Amino acid sequence: MVSSSHEALHRIFQQDPGLFARAARHLGVAFPPPVSTVELSTDLTETQPLERRVDTLLQMDTEDGSFLLAVESQGRPAPDKPASWAYYLSYVYAKYRIPPVLLVVCADRGTAEWAARQVDIGPRQWCSLSLRPLVLGPDDVPVIDSPDDAARDIPLTVLSAALHRRDPGADAILNALAKALKGLSADDENTATTFIELTEQGLGATQAAELWRHLMAVDLSFFQSQTAQQLRAEGRAKDLLLLLGHRGVEVSEEDRERIVGCGDPDVLGLWFRKALTATSTAEVFASEGEAGPDAG
């Protein structure tokens, strides 16, 4: 039950809103007196369902205690994000009563610089809440281009590849990562395929992604599982379509579906070799015994 003293200590400001500015002077903070005030609803419950999701939320238990790690992947500056991040941290702290930390991961240097700024929430006279994200950008994670270093920390190497995907060192990172993955034992195949997929996702639509698919089409042969077969086929299908596009060979929707739907890496490899000189998809798909259009 709310006590009368509780009510009095906040309702007095409803009675005289200007009291705030006068009382704050005793705290050494100078707020100007209000020109006008509007009393708003005190119910802060969301009136409509509003989905708010942090990208990843982890409870980290350490020898020094526990904290919550909220991880956000940010592709570009967004003016409304700091308010959302402040909401996330306040909400999870109220819900779990565990101190939160916000980590923002940015593959773009400009975005990383923007995200790293401290955001003070409140009027200039007094900051009520400060948002201080930890930010990982391309300049904060080293280029891991040694296979030995990559093997010692494959997850960090995957992150390095994703953050440096547009940098000149991306190729060296991917080559080192491919060799490190090749060194895993057969028992680690599921782990390897997970990191392979995460790497491709992290590279996005970049030239580095094309190199990665090529490396996996060649170097993934040491894995023999159905998952590995599928990954090799997907990589070779993408490479084949890319080659046909670069050579100006027209690919119908039916042809595209045939290529993407082919799950045999060997067949796709044969089609790829034919595509190096073919002038049509009919030549690509022709069996070895069929003569091409220039045959006499």
Side-chain angles (χ1 to χ4, degrees):
M1 182 177 179
V2 178
S3 66
S4 57
S5 61
H6 171 95
E7 291 292 291
L9 290 177
H10 70 84
R11 290 186 62 185
I12 185 64
F13 293 97
Q14 297 177 15
Q15 185 66 29
D16 181 6
L19 173 63
F20 169 68
R22 302 195 300 276
R25 294 173 190 162
H26 297 283
L27 300 174
V29 184
F31 283 91
V35 176
S36 64
T37 60
V38 177
E39 188 171 342
L40 304 176
S41 171
T42 58
D43 185 358
L44 302 182
T45 303
E46 301 286 1
T47 57
Q48 295 179 348
L50 182 61
E51 185 174 347
R52 295 185 187 271
R53 289 181 181 271
V54 66
D55 289 337
T56 290
L57 183 63
L58 304 171
Q59 178 174 329
M60 313 287 278
D61 300 318
T62 74
E63 293 180 353
D64 294 331
S66 300
F67 66 93
L68 297 178
L69 179 64
V71 185
E72 283 279 279
S73 174
Q74 192 66 26
R76 62 181 182 276
D80 59 336
K81 266 297 181 178
S84 297
W85 290 338
Y87 177 93
Y88 297 160
L89 296 181
S90 298
Y91 178 84
V92 297
Y93 183 60
K95 181 176 182 178
Y96 297 103
R97 299 297 181 184
I98 299 175
V101 174
L102 173 64
L103 174 65
V104 183
V105 186
C106 311
D108 174 74
R109 286 180 171 81
T111 302
E113 182 179 357
W114 164 82
R117 296 178 302 174
Q118 176 174 318
V119 176
D120 295 328
I121 300 174
R124 62 177 179 81
Q125 292 87 354
W126 189 260
C127 171
S128 298
L129 181 66
S130 288
L131 179 69
R132 300 174 60 207
L134 288 174
V135 177
L136 284 177
D139 295 331
D140 305 300
V141 174
V143 171
I144 301 177
D145 53 10
S146 160
D148 290 339
D149 291 340
R152 277 191 285 270
D153 198 336
I154 288 177
L156 182 62
T157 308
V158 173
L159 180 61
S160 176
L163 293 182
H164 293 282
R165 62 194 182 192
R166 295 186 178 88
D167 293 347
D171 290 5
I173 299 172
L174 295 178
N175 278 288
L177 178 57
K179 292 177 181 177
L181 289 171
K182 192 172 183 178
L184 293 177
S185 66
D187 294 337
D188 293 322
E189 181 175 334
N190 289 335
T191 300
T193 53
T194 296
F195 288 132
I196 289 166
E197 292 172 351
L198 285 173
T199 301
E200 180 164 355
Q201 293 170 2
L203 295 174
T206 62
Q207 290 184 346
E210 297 178 21
L211 171 63
W212 182 245
R213 286 191 290 269
H214 174 73
L215 288 172
M216 292 301 96
V218 174
D219 290 341
L220 202 60
S221 57
F222 56 90
F223 288 139
Q224 298 301 324
S225 73
Q226 183 176 357
T227 301
Q229 284 282 107
Q230 181 180 356
L231 286 171
R232 287 200 298 276
E234 289 176 359
R236 291 188 179 183
K238 290 177 181 177
D239 289 339
L240 175 55
L241 290 170
L242 187 65
L243 174 61
L244 292 170
H246 283 327
R247 297 197 62 245
V249 177
E250 184 177 351
V251 180
S252 68
E253 188 60 33
E254 182 180 354
D255 293 337
R256 182 178 298 275
E257 290 178 1
R258 182 175 179 181
I259 292 171
V260 173
C262 179
D264 189 332
D266 293 333
V267 172
L268 287 163
L270 174 63
W271 289 349
F272 186 90
R273 291 191 294 274
K274 289 184 176 183
L276 293 172
T277 57
T279 58
S280 69
T281 54
E283 292 181 46
V284 172
F285 298 141
S287 64
E288 293 293 344
E290 295 181 43
D294 295 330

